[in-house]
Amino acid sequence: MTPVSGGPGAAVRSTPPAAPRAAPARPEAARTPAPAAPSEPVARARPAAPPEPRRPSALARGLSAAAGALVRGSSRLFGQVKTRGATAVGDFRARPEHSRWRAYALGCYGLIVAATLAGQLYSSNPLGVYVKVQHVELPVSTLIFVRNDSRFAWKHARIVVNGIYSHSRDEIAAGESLPLDLDKAFAVKDGSGKTLRRPPRNLPLQSLALDCDRGRYETELK
C-alpha cells in the first residue's frame, strides 16, 4: 500500500505490517499405543503331597517280631556253639595226643593217595601183549596171533603154550604181529635145540606165557 501524504505538518502515519498467515495445521500421526507391560507369571501349581504310608497290619508286625526273635535266638545259639567248639579245639590242641592224631591222619591220607595211584598205574598186562586164538575146521588147524602193542621191542622172546610147547624169536618189534600155526611154530626141544615133538593141530589150549627182556606175561586161553 502507498502511504498517503497529508498536508504540511501532518504526521505521516505508517501502516502496520500485515500479520503473517498461520500455516495450516498438519494432522498429527496416530500414535501406536505402547505395549502393555507383561503381567506377572502365573504361579506354578505345587505337586500334590505324597500319600502317607500305610501302617503295617497287626499280622505283619507280629511276623516281623517273630522273625527278629528267631534271628536273635539263632545268633545266640550258634555263637555259643562256636565258642564251645573253639574251646574244645583249643583244649584238644593243647593235649600231647594232638600231634599223634595228626600224624595218624596224615599217614592214612598218604596211604590212600599211594593206593589210588598204584591202582591207576597198575596193569595186568605191562608188556602190552595181545593174544587171539582162531580155530580152523577145514583144514583142521589152530592159529595163534600174538602182537606187541607196547612202545618197546621184545628181545629174546619165548612164547610157551600149555607150559610145554614153545616158540622163540630174537626180537619182536613194537607193533609187530605174529600169526603162529600151532602144529608148525611150536615144539618141544631138548637142550641142544633139537625138535623132539610138535603139538597136534586140535590141541585144546589152556594157557600162554611170554618171556622177554622186559618181563613176563601169562594168560589163560579159553
Side-chain angles (χ1 to χ4, degrees):
M1 295 181 60
T2 306
V4 179
S5 61
V12 178
R13 297 180 180 179
S14 59
T15 304
R21 295 181 179 179
R26 296 180 180 179
E28 296 182 0
R31 295 181 179 180
T32 304
S39 59
E40 296 183 359
V42 181
R44 296 181 180 178
R46 295 182 178 179
E52 296 182 359
R54 299 178 60 182
R55 298 185 61 184
S57 61
L59 178 60
R61 292 196 299 272
L63 292 176
S64 178
L70 180 61
V71 170
R72 288 191 297 271
S74 301
S75 301
R76 185 178 303 173
L77 176 62
F78 285 109
Q80 294 177 359
V81 171
K82 181 179 180 181
T83 303
R84 293 178 181 177
T87 304
V89 171
D91 295 341
F92 177 73
R93 288 181 176 178
R95 297 177 182 177
E97 294 85 356
H98 171 66
S99 58
R100 291 200 299 269
W101 283 108
R102 183 166 55 183
Y104 295 155
L106 292 177
C108 294
Y109 179 75
L111 290 177
I112 293 173
V113 172
T116 303
L117 292 177
Q120 292 180 350
L121 297 178
Y122 172 77
S123 174
S124 60
N125 187 4
L127 298 179
V129 181
Y130 173 80
V131 178
K132 183 179 180 181
V133 178
Q134 183 175 356
H135 299 280
V136 181
E137 296 181 358
L138 292 176
V140 178
S141 62
T142 302
L143 294 177
I144 301 176
F145 295 91
V146 179
R147 186 175 67 228
N148 182 359
D149 284 345
S150 68
R151 297 178 298 170
F152 308 97
W154 299 335
K155 296 182 179 180
H156 310 296
R158 183 170 180 265
I159 305 172
V160 182
V161 294
N162 291 0
I164 302 174
Y165 305 98
S166 65
H167 174 80
S168 300
R169 285 289 183 99
D170 292 336
E171 181 178 351
I172 300 177
E176 183 179 357
S177 180
L178 300 177
L180 303 175
D181 198 330
L182 178 63
D183 61 329
K184 296 179 181 179
F186 294 87
V188 176
K189 299 181 180 181
D190 58 8
S192 61
K194 182 180 179 179
T195 300
L196 299 179
R197 61 190 174 94
R198 294 186 180 277
R201 297 179 179 180
N202 56 353
L203 175 69
L205 298 178
Q206 299 175 354
S207 64
L208 182 144
L210 187 147
D211 292 289
C212 65
D213 62 330
R214 304 194 65 84
R216 177 181 174 83
Y217 170 78
E218 187 173 357
T219 182
E220 294 183 358
L221 300 178
K222 296 180 181 180

